[in-house]
Amino acid sequence: MQAAMTTQTRVLPAAIARLNELAYNLWFSWNDDALQLFQQMDARQWEQTGHNPVRLLQELDDARLQELSADSGFLEAYQGVIARFDDYMQSGHTWFEQRFGSGTPVHIAYFSAEFGFHESLPIYSGGLGVLAGDHCKSASDLGLPFVGVGLLYKKGYFTQKIDASGGQHAEQLHYDFARLPIRPAQKDGNDLTVTIDMPGRTVTLKLWTVQVGRNPVILLDADIAANQPDDRELTGQLYGGNQDTRISQEIVLGIGGVKALRALGIYPNVYHINEGHAAFLALERLRELLGLGLPFHAAVETVRSATVFTTHTPVPAGHDAFPYGMVEHHLGPLLGQLSAHRQALLDLGRDEATGLFNMTHLALHTSGLRNGVSQLHGKVSRGMFRSFHGNVETREVPIGAITNGVHLDSWTAPEWKALLDRFLPGSWKDDQANPQVWQSVELIPDESIWSVHTKLKEKMIAAARRNLQEQRRRNGDSAERIEEVRGYLSPKALTIGFARRFATYKRANLIFSDLRRLRKLLDDPQRPVQFIFAGKAHPADHPGQELIREIHRISQLKEFAGKVVLLENYDIDLARYLVHGVDVWLNNPRRPLEASGTSGQKAAMNGVLNFSVLDGWWEEGYDGTNGWAIGSTEDADWAAQERENTESIYRLLEEEIIPLYYNQGELPHQWINRMKRSIRTLSPAYNTHRMVQDYTVQTYLPTADRATRFAMNGYETAIKVADYKKFIRDNWHQVAIVSVDDGTAASVTAAAAAAASSGTTSSEAPPQPALKRVTADIAFGPIWPPDTLVEIVHYEEHSGAWEQVIVPMQASGDLVDQLQTFTAELPAHLAHGAHFSVRVRPVSPDFAHSFELPLITTTLHKEL
Ligand SMILES: *Cc1c(COP(=O)(O)O)cnc(C)c1O
């Protein structure tokens, strides 16, 4: 049944009463027929409310509501949407249920500082938020038992206005929560609140729920009368204020968030920290467990067993870190309450290199499974956090990678979806992560592809012109200058889009490095090219705002008028127009600073061709046929990258992209082929269904399993693991590799001889290498040898890259005087020291990954 309505909810005519349910469930935001239904009610008001269905229903006049409730066409559409909605909400045939059964004891809580669901709920700033929003949508579609936790910002992020000289103005709006698609969380008819202790005072947080399909996302709001004026600002603005504001917000999110779940009676067994901002959730979990009397290290093991961490930033400076004095001040109440563990708690965030309390360190210390957001970013993160993990090699640092995606239903244009419905198997949306499903994209006639694309391009150009006219009107431009915009941007010209945050590493101005060369491209009357830019710079990012000014200045030059345009207030709504409607999506960050990037994924699904540096997701996505790669030599420094990327951009435009686009009789068939390749190869891989399925299989399920096991029988396993780790740590110095016997090269072993004569190898196959027996004597002190793994590590060259080969050694004979012999077979030419090393490391079936306890004794410290 429905939750009690707040007083703000409009009472609707009975025939259309359930529109309220639709308005309060963000399911509407990814279902085109639901969006259309709201738009149909009053197209002008739909625009005026910023596509906010709650406001629309509140503001429509009675006569119109009555009219609609008697309009048979509208009622039919309404009933269709409601039927689909009910079907969605009640379906027992989700991916999760079918694959794992409905009784699977998993409950995931996903914590994020921002969520970008839809333009009507402005609690996001950019990519991280949109990713979190898309994650929640797919979690619902796939049927995951899932709850999100975030903050409800009174002022959102900011609305961007660009003035006549290209200056960015960050405009603050105060949102009226009663008009957003959210509701107060209630229990027994009462609004729910929680309190958190801040230095010298208690702060009360009101809980709100935004329903995202089947699952709720809980939002915390400090702007209530019970709080002091300063505290009411705690959830004022996303990424606003100073470091004190930031740490306070993160305390509200992490500590308040766990308390909010408890107030709602929710006890998840998986806690997902989406970027370090949310890592304080671990401290609240520790407080709960220490309160139960668990020893400190057992409490940490318990928290770790249930926590997943995703890092998003390949630049050290991008990770939140606070001076210790600030941390001790703001966490004063918690540290006071847990005074016996004060130092240990503070050490969980210690970054030895900077002397700061680092939120990523806290997250790494308190999570079992961790990942970056593309394969390349995983690798960069392993390098960044190698020293954090003792002396393991970079490739063995326990940080994996799950590449980001985007929510297909939210980002693919309705026109494309209608076309795909006709050509793809009926189950294509449910099976979107299966590449097979996408094969029949090849069957779509070129005319249909081009007609959809052209239509979307025209819509995009109309939206861009509206945006520019609005800028000029507000900036007091002449009627003539406003009128002029009607002729800007030709639907016939090759159109290149560049829209993202104006952070300097994204190098929005790279294309302007050689204005003469660029002008030749834009001015070609036969083959014109045009550029559309959009993006916000953080209000404190002055170099970012300088970029906006520079691009604005260029767009005002006579020769570029109408061919280079800068749109204002890049948000989900504008992003949708752009990724649907341009021809090419340009992305030229400094490699490897783009952890993943997702806007290019949105573009790809809409047949917009990516033209990007091989960074983030594109390093994996590009296959030579589905877009273009902007080149530079591997490991070029920034200046060299700049030179080489610029040259590559111009050359590809001149020699490949422009000629291909304008190689058209009736239709640009070769271009359309690339569009098909883009849709067919990239859609199945870079959607959030694939991503959330990866999270589920690789992290959520194993985590839920461990968490449940660790907590059973009074946290028996957590206590055992904590004790085990302490024992191993205390005694590891006694582990020693006493001697290694290289073996004799001549002794070809029985195994090799058998393999050679088994008939599975043809006569042309290379001969089996001669093997030899290597032995090592290891001293263990008080440590039980089966609690360790003795391994040989060597490297083999595979197509130019050195790959690590690990050969486990077997115990032979008895443990004598805490000394045991181990043996293994190796190719005879490998010599100890020069070619291979022996190492010993602790293992346990209770570890989340191989290097959970990064203690390694080795005969070599060498990394290839
Ligand atoms: C998708 C999206 C982003 C992220 O784009 P990147 O390619 O990761 O820079 C940022 N802002 C908005 C509004 C988006 O929709």
Side-chain angles (χ1 to χ4, degrees), residues 124 126-127 130 411 500 506 570-572 575 594 597-600 602:
Y124 66 96
V130 173
W411 290 106
R500 44 184 57 83
K506 295 186 186 242
Y570 182 54
D571 67 353
I572 288 178
E594 190 72 276
T598 51
S599 57
K602 301 166 192 167

Side-chain angles (χ1 to χ4, degrees), residues 47 87 188 260 325 536 545 638:
E47 288 306 316
D87 195 43
D188 309 325
K536 294 175 177 176
Q545 288 170 54
W638 284 4

Side-chain angles (χ1 to χ4, degrees), residues 38 88 126 197 272 363 377 379 397 405 443 504 549 551 670 752:
F38 288 122
Y88 179 88
D197 293 327
H272 189 161
H377 177 237
K379 193 169 141 192
V397 169
L443 305 178
T504 46
R549 220 179 272 281
I551 292 168
Q670 287 174 311

Side-chain angles (χ1 to χ4, degrees), residues 641-682:
Q641 265 196 40
E642 196 118 335
R643 267 194 324 276
E644 295 173 26
N645 286 163
T646 310
E647 176 57 26
S648 171
I649 289 174
Y650 288 127
R651 209 167 32 72
L652 282 166
L653 279 172
E654 291 159 352
E655 294 173 10
E656 295 193 29
I657 299 176
I658 298 172
L660 193 73
Y661 185 80
Y662 286 107
N663 176 16
Q664 39 186 333
E666 277 298 288
L667 288 174
H669 291 288
Q670 287 174 311
W671 187 276
I672 293 168
N673 269 343
R674 267 194 196 238
M675 293 175 68
K676 288 181 181 174
R677 287 291 301 167
S678 171
I679 296 173
R680 179 186 157 181
T681 61
L682 300 171

Side-chain angles (χ1 to χ4, degrees), residues 773-834:
R773 184 176 298 279
V774 175
T775 58
D777 289 334
I778 316 281
F780 286 96
I783 290 171
W784 194 45
D787 278 344
T788 71
L789 213 51
V790 182
E791 296 168 325
I792 287 175
V793 182
H794 69 98
Y795 293 87
E796 274 173 12
E797 198 177 355
H798 287 288
S799 45
W802 287 96
E803 279 174 22
Q804 192 182 43
V805 181
I806 303 224
V807 182
M809 300 189 82
Q810 313 299 330
S812 87
D814 298 325
L815 186 65
V816 179
D817 290 340
Q818 300 184 333
L819 205 79
Q820 178 134 34
T821 299
F822 286 76
T823 69
E825 286 178 346
L826 271 195
H829 67 279
L830 294 177
H832 179 239

Side-chain angles (χ1 to χ4, degrees), residues 243 319-325 327 346-359 361:
Q243 287 278 87
H319 294 248
D320 272 339
F322 304 105
Y324 264 88
V327 176
L346 289 170
D347 285 345
L348 288 173
R350 188 174 305 280
D351 178 352
E352 298 289 352
T354 60
L356 296 171
F357 186 97
N358 184 305
M359 295 300 282
H361 285 233

Side-chain angles (χ1 to χ4, degrees), residues 199 268 292 306 433 446 491 582 620 677 695 717 747:
L292 296 177
D446 286 4
V582 300
E620 303 156 44
R677 287 291 301 167
Y695 273 105
T717 301
S747 59

